[in-house]
């Protein structure tokens, strides 16, 4: 009885939050820089504000664009009798991964024909990068430290992705601010002096954030050195089709490296080229020297995937699978891609025209038309970037990167004039 | 000629170099649960039954797309949403509604705005986010105690997150019931501040749940030893047919003042399996702490997959936020739970009619999608090989895979396996 009373008293006198110490010391993390930019933009009430931050395509009215072929695929899915929401296999929808592999490696790829390609559906490009990074962290035959070479600069999330799995990110020279172009000599020097069998992250096309891609000849030389040193190519391909408007053309570097026999994997995203951003559609393809190895690689990737997500999401993969496997839809998709890349190329031309012919903005602006893909490294300094945001309500990342997709016929003049003032220091 | 020879040499050199990259990668084991479905698919026998993975099947053995889900999907389509990225922590209305479903609208921390919640890649993703968050930020021993047995994937999830995995007694083989004394003893013996994983309802794989009275005792021990409760709720609504009843344990702990972590899945109760809809949440001291925790959840998620898939979350939210659809959904969940309960009754009766040796009451008393039959691994193997009946090696069956068309054949198979004459 006394014990019971004691227990009751103890219960009654417990404060409501009696175990509230668990998260006391959790520090506030800085917000993701790119998403933060968009948040600030959204909160801005300035009428002529422009968002050139996150790399999501916008149409000429600055609206998100759901590709017509995607809408068609969705209609078909919705009206498919007996369609269910069952689990996909761990490595994803086979019709999707098979077609996705052909898309990047070529439908006549000998690697695919020989069964040497392991394909796993992932949570878009980030998921593919993460799974690829995790796989190398676990299974790569490291000579010394677990480290990867990333281009300077690269997509900001690459650093976090590799650190997160215990691989130290180092950098290799890539961008030359003086020429606003590729520091090819620096890149080759890095490849040559790196320890043998180092892992290099390469952007397959439309380099993010610079928009500067190696030429075919330069890719050839990179492959030479990589073969000589036994380096591993960790390709990130988030913009196939977006760079030039041609899917096969944009896959050239990856296919060439496969042909040359460079050890490689490729991370693939359908966020941009299919406009499927939030549906999270992507894949990781690891190319092995033989089928037996590819099968073992698949089994291990499955183990890694199972303990993180079990299996990937169906919806987006079904859409892409339909598009890739239906010849007429595939043709339509190619046209939709040309619409997007075409509009961006047109914006590049118009911006170049405004800056060089009309405003005669100081400096060389050739890079605006020479750079490729969704982004452009304008060459403005961090201070000029900040001024553009704070004074002109033009939102871009501090490194001077602009998303060309955020420009349109309605705002391009205001942007050009603001950029001009920023460069002249008269904002 | 020389050029060709040189080319051949270069090719050999390349081939040798690429040969070395993954040549040491060993073959990974097939997944013990998902591997069952693979084996089932490969079997050509028309009598085959898949009782492996926990996916609900209707009375005809077909996947069941809930009417409320179909309606929600149609509504979404007609609203023509864009495909823009969700925030890192997912669709805000969805996470709010998911938390409300789990904790109850009257929940104190919910009303205070101190629950940090993020959308996740279904239940697996929620557990993984939780594991990673705890490994990084939990201020006490980074050890998690799992019930023995537990869902097979729990161990790799938590180990890969960086936590040490230990066990507490749960299943009593001799009674085919809960080893409550063992459970209490092991929790009392756990180092202070350890993390303890609790299946909120419909324990997987055993189907054995503590009673409400037993939950209260568990809560007291957890309080006494300052253990950290991590709830895995993958079957809310599925166990008893009532979503609020199935949330009893979670809500009781929260009302007692525990800080909890919760992994929620909508795979089973909304039939959204492959769309990967889930949520991970933590109760915190106040909105300011919630904001800090929220910022750190984003740090965990961003380098893994940036932001979650939208389609399933739109469907789930479509249901949770619409009173008519919500009500229809509740009815459908009840329907699924009731069919399973009916199958339990039928199986029990049939096994007894066949004079199957042993006591089979546990089939009826167990709760949720799974039943721990008590069959041994060799028996389950024999059932697969001889009778084309597939279940996981631990003798767990998914009740949802049984129906009027196959339950007799199944019972006969079990009876033969137990008697040893398959």
């Amino acid at each position: 009885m006394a014990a019971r009373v004691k227990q009751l008293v103890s219960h009654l006198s417990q404060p409501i939050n009696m175990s509230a110490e668990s998260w006391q010391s959790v520090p506030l993390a800085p917000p993701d820089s790119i998403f933060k930019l968009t948040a600030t933009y959204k909160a801005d009430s300035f009428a002529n504000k422009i968002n050139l931050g996150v790399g999501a395509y916008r149409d000429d009215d600055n609206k998100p664009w759901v590709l017509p072929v995607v809408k068609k695929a969705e209609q078909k899915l919705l009206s498919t009798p007996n369609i269910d929401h069952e689990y996909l296999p761990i490595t994803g929808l086979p019709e999707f991964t098979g077609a996705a592999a052909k898309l990047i490696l070529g439908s006549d790829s000998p690697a695919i024909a020989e069964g040497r390609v392991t394909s796993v559906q992932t949570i878009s490009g980030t998921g593919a990068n993460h799974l690829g990074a995790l796989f190398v962290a676990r299974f790569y035959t490291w000579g010394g430290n677990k480290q990867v070479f990333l281009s300077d600069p690269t997509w900001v999330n690459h650093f976090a992705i590799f650190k997160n799995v215990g691989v130290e990110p180092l950098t290799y020279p890539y961008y030359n601010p003086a020429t606003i172009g590729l520091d090819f000599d620096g890149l080759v020097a890095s490849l040559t002096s790196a320890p043998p069998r180092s892992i290099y992250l390469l952007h397959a096309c439309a380099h993010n954030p610079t928009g500067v891609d190696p030429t075919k000849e330069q890719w050839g030389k990179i492959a030479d050195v990589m073969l000589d040193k036994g380096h591993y190519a960790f390709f990130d391909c988030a913009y196939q089709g977006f760079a030039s408007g041609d899917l096969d053309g944009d896959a050239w570097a990856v296919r060439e490296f496969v042909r040359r026999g460079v050890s490689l994997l490729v991370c693939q995203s359908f966020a941009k080229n299919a406009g499927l951003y939030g549906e999270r559609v992507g894949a990781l393809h690891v190319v092995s020297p033989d089928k037996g190895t590819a099968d073992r690689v698949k089994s291990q990737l499955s183990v890694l995937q199972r303990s993180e997500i079990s299996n990937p999401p169906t919806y987006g993969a079904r859409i892409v699978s339909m598009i890739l496997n239906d010849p007429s839809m595939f043709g339509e998709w190619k046209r939709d891609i040309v619409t997007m890349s075409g509009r961006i190329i047109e914006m590049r031309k118009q911006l170049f025209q405004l800056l060089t012919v009309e405003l005669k903005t100081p400096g060389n602006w050739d890079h605006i038309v020479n750079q490729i893909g969704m982004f452009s490294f304008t060459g403005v300094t961090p201070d000029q970037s900040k001024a553009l945001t704070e004074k002109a309500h033009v939102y871009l990342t501090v490194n001077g990167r602009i998303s060309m997709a955020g420009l349109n016929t309605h705002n391009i003049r205001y942007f050009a004039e603001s950029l001009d003032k920023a460069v002249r220091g008269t904002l | 000629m020389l050029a060709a020879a040189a080319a051949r040499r270069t090719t050999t050199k390349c081939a040798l170099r690429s040969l070395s990259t993954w040549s040491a990668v060993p073959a990974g084991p097939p997944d013990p649960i998902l591997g069952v479905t693979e084996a089932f698919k490969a079997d050509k026998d028309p009598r085959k039954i898949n009782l492996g993975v926990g996916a609900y099947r209707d009375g005809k053995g077909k996947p069941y797309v809930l009417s409320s889900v179909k309606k929600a999907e149609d509504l979404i389509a007609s609203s023509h949403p864009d495909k823009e990225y969700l925030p890192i922590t997912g669709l805000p209305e969805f996470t709010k509604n998911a938390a409300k479903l789990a904790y109850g609208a009257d929940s104190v921390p919910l009303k205070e705005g101190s629950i940090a919640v993020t959308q996740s890649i279904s239940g697996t993703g929620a557990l993984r986010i939780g594991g990673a968050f705890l490994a990084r930020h939990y201020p006490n021993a980074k050890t998690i105690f799992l019930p023995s047995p537990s869902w097979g994937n729990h161990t790799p999830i938590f180990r890969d997150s960086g936590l040490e995995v230990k066990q507490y007694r749960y299943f009593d083989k001799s009674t085919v019931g809960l080893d409550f004394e063992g459970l209490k003893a092991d929790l009392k013996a756990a180092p202070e501040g350890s993390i303890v994983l609790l299946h909120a309802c419909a324990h997987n794989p055993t189907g054995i749940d503590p009673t409400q009275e037993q939950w209260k005792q568990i809560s007291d021990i957890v309080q006494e030893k300052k253990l950290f409760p991590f709830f895995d709720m993958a079957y809310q609504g599925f166990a008893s047919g009532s979503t609020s009843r199935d949330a009893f344990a979670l809500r009781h702990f929260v009302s007692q003042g525990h800080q909890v972590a919760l992994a929620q899945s909508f795979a089973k109760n909304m039939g959204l399996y492959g769309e990967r809809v889930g949520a991970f949440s933590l109760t915190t001291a106040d909105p300011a702490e919630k904001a800090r925790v929220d910022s750190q959840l984003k740090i965990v998620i961003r380098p893994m997959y940036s932001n979650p898939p939208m389609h399933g979350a739109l469907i789930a939210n479509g249901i949770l936020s619409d009173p008519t659809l919500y009500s229809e959904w509740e009815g459908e969940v009840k329907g699924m739970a009731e069919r399973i309960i009916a199958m339990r009754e039928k199986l029990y009766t049939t096994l007894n009619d066949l004079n199957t040796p042993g006591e089979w009451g546990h089939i009826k008393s167990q709760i949720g999608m799974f039943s721990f039959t008590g069959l041994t691994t060799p028996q389950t193997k024999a059932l697969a090989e001889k009778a084309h009946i597939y279940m996981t090696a631990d003798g767990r069956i998914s009740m949802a895979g049984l129906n009027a068309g196959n339950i007799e054949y199944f019972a006969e198979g079990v009876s033969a396996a137990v008697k040893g004459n398959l």
Side-chain angles (χ1 to χ4, degrees):
Chain A
M1 174 65 175
R4 178 62 184 143
V5 171
K6 204 164 158 203
Q7 193 185 41
L8 281 168
V9 169
S10 152
H11 278 187
L12 289 169
S13 58
Q14 291 285 6
I16 287 294
N17 286 332
M18 46 111 218
S19 59
E21 304 103 33
S22 301
W23 312 121
Q24 234 166 245
S25 309
V26 171
L28 185 68
D32 181 278
S33 56
I34 298 173
F35 291 129
K36 182 180 179 204
L37 196 68
T38 299
T40 319
Y41 164 83
K42 280 190 179 153
D44 188 335
S45 54
F46 188 74
N48 293 329
K49 62 181 180 176
I50 308 179
N51 187 0
L52 303 177
V54 74
Y57 180 78
R58 293 284 178 268
D59 65 14
D60 196 53
D61 294 312
N62 198 36
K63 295 270 177 293
W65 193 56
V66 177
L67 277 60
V69 72
V70 166
K71 284 185 187 166
K72 212 177 245 183
E74 287 189 292
Q75 276 295 349
K76 266 188 158 184
L77 279 176
L78 204 64
S79 52
T80 303
N82 303 323
I83 198 165
D84 57 44
H85 298 283
E86 291 297 292
Y87 289 126
L88 288 177
I90 298 175
T91 51
L93 185 66
E95 308 91 274
F96 163 71
T97 47
K102 288 194 168 149
L103 182 70
I104 182 65
L105 299 173
S107 49
D108 53 358
S109 169
I112 295 177
E114 290 157 18
R116 299 194 282 118
V117 179
T118 308
S119 300
V120 178
Q121 183 185 333
T122 55
I123 314 281
S124 208
T126 305
N129 272 271
H130 165 69
L131 186 61
L134 186 60
F135 185 70
V136 301
R138 287 286 175 87
F139 293 102
Y140 193 66
T141 37
W142 302 95
N145 292 339
K146 288 190 188 180
Q147 60 191 30
V148 65
F149 287 87
L150 309 177
S151 63
D152 179 14
T154 190
W155 177 44
V156 64
N157 204 20
H158 277 143
F159 290 92
I161 289 170
F162 283 96
K163 273 193 201 139
N164 192 44
V165 297
V167 176
E168 192 195 352
L170 305 174
T171 58
Y172 60 87
Y174 192 82
Y175 176 69
N176 184 346
T179 61
I180 316 188
L182 181 63
D183 177 1
F184 187 59
D185 290 342
L187 198 170
V188 172
S190 168
L191 287 169
T192 312
S193 63
R197 302 189 34 258
S198 291
I199 301 182
Y200 272 74
L201 189 139
L202 305 166
H203 296 230
C205 65
H207 184 271
N208 176 5
T210 67
V212 172
D213 286 349
T215 62
K216 283 187 180 172
E217 200 191 336
Q218 288 170 331
W219 275 122
K221 180 84 172 100
I222 293 168
D224 290 343
V225 183
M226 290 192 77
L227 285 166
D228 198 59
K229 299 281 299 193
H231 289 335
Y232 192 85
F234 192 110
F235 272 106
D236 190 359
C237 185
Y239 300 96
Q240 188 185 1
F242 237 106
S244 64
D246 172 31
L247 287 163
D248 292 315
D250 287 353
W252 185 85
V254 172
R255 295 178 191 181
E256 177 65 5
F257 273 49
V258 171
R259 187 187 75 80
R260 297 282 308 272
V262 179
S263 301
L264 64 86
L265 60 77
V266 51
C267 305
Q268 188 181 35
S269 169
F270 289 89
K272 284 84 174 173
N273 60 13
L276 287 173
Y277 308 96
E279 300 291 2
R280 317 309 288 128
V281 193
L284 171 70
H285 308 283
V286 180
V287 182
S288 294
D290 56 68
K291 184 179 189 310
T293 308
D295 291 342
R296 284 181 284 114
V297 167
K298 184 178 182 181
S299 69
Q300 293 295 350
L301 285 171
S302 301
V303 170
L304 295 175
Q305 179 110 305
R306 176 50 157 164
S307 83
E308 293 199 352
I309 66 170
S310 282
N311 40 69
T314 1
Y315 191 66
R318 279 175 167 165
I319 294 172
V320 177
S321 172
M322 208 176 264
I323 291 170
L324 295 180
N325 289 308
D326 176 313
S328 89
M329 279 190 149
F330 188 67
E332 211 181 319
W333 182 45
K334 287 199 275 193
R335 288 193 293 280
D336 288 344
I337 288 176
V338 167
T339 301
M340 291 189 288
S341 60
R343 195 182 84 67
I344 284 174
I345 288 166
E346 182 54 34
M347 288 298 99
R348 288 184 179 279
K349 285 188 189 144
Q350 283 191 28
L351 181 59
F352 179 74
Q353 182 85 343
L354 283 162
L355 293 172
T356 56
V357 174
E358 270 199 51
L359 299 165
K360 299 197 179 11
T361 313
N364 183 326
W365 296 98
D366 290 352
H367 53 280
I368 297 289
V369 284
N370 292 337
Q371 284 163 5
I372 297 160
M374 199 181 289
F375 299 112
S376 182
F377 236 29
T378 52
V380 298
T381 65
D383 283 338
Q384 288 168 339
S385 289
K386 284 190 197 134
L388 272 166
T389 305
E390 284 158 22
K391 307 258 178 71
H393 307 267
V394 173
Y395 291 78
L396 70 163
T397 48
V398 137
N399 55 12
R401 180 194 90 164
I402 59 169
S403 169
M404 295 302 304
L407 291 175
N408 54 61
T409 54
H410 312 290
N411 66 16
I412 196 162
R413 178 166 292 274
Y414 174 71
F415 174 66
E417 286 167 358
S418 306
L419 181 59
D420 180 83
K421 289 187 187 137
V423 169
R424 293 178 198 276
T426 58
L427 257 184
Chain B
M1 176 64 173
L2 276 171
R8 254 200 316 278
R9 265 205 307 280
T10 316
T11 317
T12 318
K13 207 157 100 168
C14 313
L16 281 175
R17 275 213 187 81
S18 35
L19 199 64
S20 68
T21 313
W22 307 123
S23 48
V25 172
D31 185 273
I33 298 169
L34 301 173
V36 171
T37 297
E38 298 296 311
F40 168 82
K41 279 186 187 154
D43 190 329
K44 302 286 174 238
D45 195 290
R47 296 165 298 175
K48 65 179 182 176
I49 308 178
N50 186 3
L51 302 176
V53 73
Y56 182 80
R57 293 287 177 266
D58 66 13
K60 300 219 162 58
K62 295 272 174 281
Y64 172 52
V65 177
L66 279 66
S67 164
S68 51
V69 166
K70 185 81 181 81
K71 285 183 182 148
E73 228 178 344
D74 288 337
L75 278 170
I76 291 161
S78 54
S79 70
H80 305 296
D82 58 44
K83 302 284 181 203
E84 293 299 284
Y85 290 125
L86 285 179
I88 299 174
T89 49
L91 186 67
E93 309 88 76
F94 163 70
T95 48
K96 223 169 82 191
N97 282 320
K100 195 164 133 198
L101 176 69
Y103 294 92
D106 291 333
S107 178
V108 170
L110 189 81
K111 292 201 289 199
E112 281 176 357
S114 57
I115 299 181
V117 54
T118 176
Q119 184 182 333
S120 63
I121 312 291
S122 208
T124 303
L127 291 162
R128 187 53 187 257
I129 292 167
F133 185 86
L134 288 164
R136 222 174 271 205
H137 298 292
Y138 186 61
N140 303 318
K142 322 265 184 158
T143 307
I144 185 163
F145 283 79
L146 308 179
S148 177
S150 192
W151 180 45
N153 206 18
H154 276 142
T155 297
I157 289 171
F158 291 120
R159 218 173 254 159
D160 288 354
S161 299
L163 298 174
E164 192 191 0
V165 174
K166 291 205 164 134
Q167 261 83 33
Y168 60 89
R169 276 171 285 173
Y170 193 83
F171 178 64
D172 186 342
K173 237 168 148 172
S174 57
T175 62
V176 197
L178 180 64
D179 178 1
F180 193 48
E181 293 310 308
L183 186 159
K184 286 192 289 184
D186 285 352
L187 291 190
K188 282 194 179 140
E192 204 175 87
S194 301
I195 305 159
V196 57
L197 184 91
L198 302 162
H199 294 226
C201 62
H203 181 271
N204 177 4
T206 67
I208 295 158
D209 286 348
T211 61
Q212 292 195 352
E213 180 46 50
Q214 288 172 325
W215 273 121
K216 289 178 180 171
Q217 290 183 51
I218 295 171
S219 170
D220 290 344
I221 296 170
V222 167
Q223 197 159 317
E224 184 194 317
K225 298 292 305 195
K226 298 194 175 53
L227 303 177
F228 184 85
F230 189 152
F231 280 95
D232 185 359
M233 186 152 73
Y235 300 97
Q236 188 185 5
F238 229 98
S240 66
S242 157
T243 52
S244 47
R245 180 127 174 245
D246 288 351
F248 170 79
L250 169 74
R251 294 178 189 182
H252 175 74
F253 272 59
V254 172
S255 70
Q256 291 296 294
H258 292 284
Q259 277 197 314
V260 306
L262 170 68
Q264 253 176 301
S265 169
F266 289 86
K268 284 85 174 170
N269 60 11
M270 283 193 180
L272 288 173
Y273 307 98
E275 304 296 348
R276 317 312 287 128
V277 192
F280 173 71
S281 54
L282 287 159
T283 57
T284 70
D286 53 54
E289 184 170 284
K290 170 215 139 113
R292 295 201 308 276
V293 165
D294 191 74
S295 73
Q296 292 295 348
L297 286 170
K298 288 174 179 158
I299 299 283
V300 167
I301 294 164
R302 175 60 157 154
M304 289 182 82
Y305 58 84
S306 284
N307 43 70
M310 52 190 287
H311 191 71
L314 284 171
I315 295 173
N317 186 58
I319 290 171
L320 295 174
S321 61
D322 177 310
T324 316
L325 284 180
Y326 188 96
S327 174
E328 188 178 354
W329 171 61
E330 279 196 310
E332 292 187 285
V333 177
K334 190 152 181 286
M336 290 193 282
E338 281 172 354
R339 193 183 87 69
I340 285 176
I341 289 166
M343 286 297 101
R344 289 185 178 280
E345 293 282 343
K346 181 92 174 114
L347 181 60
Y348 174 76
T349 312
T350 313
L351 285 171
N352 279 332
D353 288 348
L354 291 168
N355 296 316
T356 315
E359 172 50 57
W360 296 97
H362 54 277
I363 300 281
K364 283 203 298 182
S365 60
Q366 285 163 5
I367 297 161
M369 198 181 292
F370 298 112
S371 183
F372 231 29
T373 53
L375 293 166
T376 64
T377 303
Q379 286 168 340
T380 64
K381 206 156 171 262
L383 276 166
E385 284 162 14
K386 309 264 178 68
H388 312 277
I389 292 170
Y390 293 82
M391 67 184 74
T392 47
D394 55 7
R396 180 194 87 166
I397 58 169
S398 169
M399 295 303 302
L402 291 174
N403 54 64
N406 63 16
I407 198 162
E408 301 264 354
Y409 178 71
F410 174 68
E412 282 159 14
V414 170
S415 194
V418 171
K419 290 174 185 163
N421 50 19
L422 253 182

